Amino acid sequence: MPPVQPLTAALTLAPLLFLLFFFTGPVNCWRPWPNSQPNSTDFLFGGSKKYEGSSEFVQLKYHMGPVLTANITVYPIWYGKWQKSQKRIIREFIGSISAADSKPPSVAGWWKTVRLYTDQTGANISGTVRIGEEKNDRFYSHGKSLTRLSVQSVIKSAVSASTRPLPINPKSGVYLLLTSDDVYVQDFCNNVCGFHYFTFPSIVGYTLPYAWVGNSAKLCPGVCAYPFAVPDYIPGLKAVKTPNGDVGVDAMISVIAHEIAELATNPLVNAWYAGQDPVFPVEIADLCEGIYGTGGGGSYTGQMLNDRDGATYNMKGIRRRFLVQWVWNHVLSYCTGPNALVE
């Protein structure tokens, strides 16, 4: 049976999910609280193995929907005021995903786990991820406070602009809305630092996989920039040094990685996830949230690396270093990362 085409599948699901969207919203990226109480994931991720979070209780399944097997193009939408240096950090991370020649442990090595996921035909997630056209919205065309639905309106403005609109690419495009540190998005800082979903034709005119990630440097670094920042109310917990000198953007990198990995494996919320309800899916990055190295689990990040100036990272890119959470390896039923310690 040929794979379901994204537009057809989305149009079938759109009426139901449009209604559910108002009550549940897109798929969220939840950040770990340093003082979180033990819960089910704490117990699942309690081991100390080369590959963390292993558990026979995690039933990640394929639900027959499309995945991104064609070469992936990421279209950044820079909403608000962004410094050139901040854009460079994010661009270089995205460019590092396909940089197979990077020295290990590398971002490209991390993406190899994402590539293990396939569609109905056995085709793997694409090994090519590149940056496409970009759009700047430095004048906050939709204001400085966005709802989950107005996020889609920002994307509509980007793809329908009278000058240099972003291309329409429903099959292999990822539309990445990045909001600056003075923009609030609905539920931001309430443990939500990013989310992904697909746009509704009734709003945007097309079904396009998208993600939103916000810069939390001013609004809630203790929530969304951990471990580069910690909550003020937790005495004695020390933040680690960022690898690129920008707390907000360095923290965004892991959330961006989280969302791109899940968009690649579950772009229309009907492909790879655990649980029976597609409205509340547990996806490949959710299963490893907060795990950056060997021994990670619960509220412990795991063993990370430090460079000569004391900055903390776990992966190398083309020219920079990054701290990126691990993702679930469905072949091994473990969270895996390229910086795993060999026993």
Side-chain angles (χ1 to χ4, degrees):
M1 180 178 178
V4 179
Q5 294 302 311
L7 183 58
T8 303
L11 290 176
T12 302
L13 290 171
L16 172 61
L17 292 177
F18 182 81
L19 293 174
L20 293 172
F21 186 92
F22 286 98
F23 301 101
T24 61
V27 182
N28 296 324
C29 170
W30 299 92
R31 304 300 292 162
W33 284 89
N35 65 333
S36 60
Q37 296 298 315
N39 54 35
S40 59
T41 55
D42 289 332
F43 294 122
L44 291 178
F45 298 154
S48 179
K49 306 182 181 69
K50 176 181 176 183
Y51 303 106
E52 302 309 303
S54 62
S55 175
E56 65 275 19
F57 299 110
V58 175
Q59 299 295 324
L60 187 75
K61 295 180 180 180
Y62 178 51
H63 298 264
M64 305 306 289
V67 300
L68 301 186
T69 57
N71 291 347
I72 299 168
T73 302
V74 179
Y75 302 102
I77 302 171
W78 306 96
Y79 192 86
K81 297 178 181 179
W82 288 90
Q83 299 174 16
K84 291 181 179 179
S85 60
Q86 294 177 318
K87 290 183 177 181
R88 280 197 297 269
I89 295 170
I90 293 173
R91 288 186 187 121
E92 289 184 21
F93 170 72
I94 296 171
S96 296
I97 294 175
S98 300
D101 295 334
S102 298
K103 295 181 180 179
S106 69
V107 176
W110 167 84
W111 188 253
K112 287 182 179 179
T113 300
V114 180
R115 291 206 65 213
L116 293 174
Y117 292 84
T118 62
D119 65 9
Q120 298 178 48
T121 69
N124 293 84
I125 300 291
S126 176
T128 300
V129 180
R130 70 177 188 89
I131 295 182
E133 290 86 338
E134 304 179 27
K135 197 67 179 174
N136 292 292
D137 193 336
R138 61 179 64 89
F139 298 113
Y140 311 89
S141 64
H142 293 263
K144 289 188 176 182
S145 182
L146 304 176
T147 66
R148 290 172 181 261
L149 285 178
S150 64
V151 161
Q152 295 201 21
S153 297
V154 175
I155 297 172
K156 178 184 179 180
S157 296
V159 300
S160 61
S162 57
T163 58
R164 297 182 180 179
L166 293 182
I168 304 300
N169 183 1
K171 192 170 184 180
S172 60
V174 168
Y175 295 80
L176 182 61
L177 175 60
L178 303 168
T179 52
S180 57
D181 59 12
D182 56 348
V183 175
Y184 176 76
V185 175
Q186 182 181 352
D187 296 325
F188 193 19
C189 300
N190 185 21
N191 264 4
V192 177
C193 309
F195 57 71
H196 75 87
Y197 212 61
F198 54 83
T199 62
F200 299 126
S202 58
I203 297 176
V204 180
Y206 307 91
T207 302
L208 306 171
Y210 77 92
W212 159 76
V213 179
N215 186 333
S216 65
K218 293 181 180 178
L219 295 174
C220 55
V223 178
C224 293
Y226 181 78
F228 301 127
V230 296
D232 294 334
Y233 57 81
I234 303 181
L237 187 62
K238 186 177 180 180
V240 301
K241 186 176 180 179
T242 63
N244 297 291
D246 191 306
V247 169
V249 174
D250 272 306
M252 288 179 72
I253 294 298
S254 190
V255 186
I256 290 170
H258 180 122
E259 302 304 339
I260 291 178
E262 293 185 343
L263 274 171
T265 54
N266 197 28
L268 300 180
V269 201
N270 61 353
W272 288 94
Y273 63 87
Q276 300 302 314
D277 188 350
V279 180
F280 300 99
V282 178
E283 299 170 289
I284 71 166
D286 298 326
L287 289 166
C288 306
E289 182 62 68
I291 297 178
Y292 299 90
T294 300
S299 58
Y300 175 54
T301 59
Q303 297 184 49
M304 302 176 289
L305 305 172
N306 294 102
D307 60 20
R308 293 178 181 178
D309 67 354
T312 298
Y313 71 100
N314 66 347
M315 299 178 198
K316 298 176 182 178
I318 300 172
R319 287 174 292 273
R320 298 176 182 269
R321 296 176 177 182
F322 304 99
L323 185 65
V324 179
Q325 70 151 93
W326 288 7
V327 291
W328 186 259
N329 184 321
H330 75 99
V331 176
L332 300 175
S333 290
Y334 299 137
C335 293
T336 62
N339 60 307
L341 298 180
V342 178
E343 294 179 347

